[in-house]
Amino acid sequence: MANPTAAMLVIGDEILSGRTRDANMHFLAGALTKHGINLREVRIVSDDRSSIVSAVKSLSQSYDHLFTSGGIGPTHDDITADCIAEAFGQSIDIREDAYALLAAHYERTNKEFNAARQRMARIPEHATLIDNPVSVAPGFTVQNTHVMAGVPSVFQAMVEAVLPQLSAGAPLHSKSLRIERGEGDIAGPLGKFAARFPELSIGSYPFQENGLYGANIVLRGENSDMLSEGFAELERLFADS
Amino acid sequence: MANPTAAMLVIGDEILSGRTRDANMHFLAGALTKHGINLREVRIVSDDRSSIVSAVKSLSQSYDHLFTSGGIGPTHDDITADCIAEAFGQSIDIREDAYALLAAHYERTNKEFNAARQRMARIPEHATLIDNPVSVAPGFTVQNTHVMAGVPSVFQAMVEAVLPQLSAGAPLHSKSLRIERGEGDIAGPLGKFAARFPELSIGSYPFQENGLYGANIVLRGENSDMLSEGFAELERLFADS
């Protein structure tokens, strides 16, 4: 049986403007690979209603799971929850369960539970809440779509809350071999090798370091015996490199 | 006149598997912002023919420019050039101009110009070549789509070759203010501020550092006087923070 597939949607202008480098994508990719879920596509869009709604519709229909990050805070540019509700044709309003969590938190920390903070209790009607052990304001799941915060510490905690609830696939094993020869020398034998091991995914990642050309060849597969066999063969093939 | 828009398509399994963190996206985002081109969307897809073709069609039609990275090397998983040809309905074969560049390079460096390396001369029929001062194998432009290598040093050199040929927009200026208060306290006044300065794009990027909650407020705009006026107002608004 093939492993479940997933996509990620990153919402916000930070990465698109070059202001920050992504952290959440890298974390999610690693966590999904460990859990046996195959991350197949990532999209990054800005805080624009129609862009978000159409990406959510397209990705939630094309893959088994969709994970989103960003846009669920209290400020004017946080429009993700409303966009998710629109994409799934659900109504959205302040929901009692989320409101109660937040009200208790702000009472405990002696901060004003003002209108902006109350916006974080806006949750689509049929969503399930995702626990936020870092800063309380919850994420949520609608059908196959898991909506999480953009702040890395919160995003990571939410991923760890969601993943154990999802069916795991066969974990994907991988082994990599560094070859200090240009890809042009490697490509011929590697292509023949790939044709002999169709069950393995075989990637060639070229590098250039101080004028030295080479490539890391990465083998991936669900069957660890097959992977070991393939890797031994790969080592023999490039023993002179 | 609004600035030109752009999208980026990253092709390959490296980022999706969690193996590496992106570098090219961050470089391109910064370079486009400086050039006054508005990066609006990024997609990352794996080395899968139908995924690449449909992303190229969709993004090249939706934005003024599309920049791609990855998948133009000599190995079996490098299928970008063929996918671009398919997306634009052009034929593709080894092209004389690219072949001549590569043949001269391998003769000079005394390396075999084998079948794998000759694949790098496969260029869609109506494409214009993009210079590669690092490792010779060219990128290419088809209509509004600029196809570049994934190795960061080569990608950057190709971006620097392409950008001067594209109409520049008004450079986007930005200023940011760090506020050490939770977004929930900032959100109300910030929303009113945003409504008063509709010409500015105003983002709130929350952070959490050692238990301290805060946000970086980033103002962006084409008109630098307007930006300065808005920023002074923003500083007054949060002078107590």
Side-chain angles (χ1 to χ4, degrees), chain B residues 51-159:
Chain B
S51 306
I52 298 171
V53 172
S54 76
V56 168
K57 283 184 182 170
S58 158
L59 295 171
S60 66
Q61 282 162 20
S62 302
Y63 301 101
D64 295 327
H65 298 286
L66 170 60
F67 298 84
T68 80
S69 75
I72 61 169
T75 60
H76 65 286
D77 54 348
D78 290 310
I79 58 174
T80 299
D82 285 75
C83 294
I84 297 284
E86 183 179 334
F88 286 100
Q90 295 191 13
S91 71
I92 181 168
D93 205 340
I94 289 181
R95 233 175 62 173
E96 275 182 30
D97 48 357
Y99 187 92
L101 284 173
L102 288 161
H105 169 66
Y106 290 113
E107 187 170 339
R108 205 164 47 235
T109 54
N110 208 15
K111 287 181 187 163
E112 189 197 355
F113 190 27
N114 57 23
R117 290 186 166 121
Q118 289 175 28
R119 276 192 71 209
M120 295 191 288
R122 285 177 68 78
I123 305 280
E125 57 179 327
H126 300 303
T128 313
L129 300 187
I130 298 174
D131 189 36
N132 171 1
V134 178
S135 53
V136 180
F140 58 86
T141 295
V142 177
Q143 296 180 21
N144 68 342
T145 297
H146 313 287
V147 177
M148 297 174 293
V151 174
S153 59
V154 182
F155 178 81
Q156 293 175 17
M158 288 182 176
V159 169

Side-chain angles (χ1 to χ4, degrees), chain A residues 18 28-29 47 60 80 85 102 110 118 126 130 140 149 157-158 161-162 172 192 197 208 213 215 219 230:
Chain A
L28 183 67
D47 304 303
S60 66
T80 299
L102 289 161
N110 209 15
Q118 289 175 27
H126 300 303
I130 298 174
F140 58 87
M158 288 182 174
V162 167
L172 204 60
K192 284 177 202 152
F197 288 89
Q208 194 227 344
Y213 285 86
L219 307 191

Side-chain angles (χ1 to χ4, degrees), chain B residues 178 180 207-214 216:
Chain B
R178 178 184 163 98
E180 297 190 347
F207 62 79
Q208 193 226 345
E209 289 167 13
N210 307 319
L212 173 77
Y213 285 88
N216 287 298

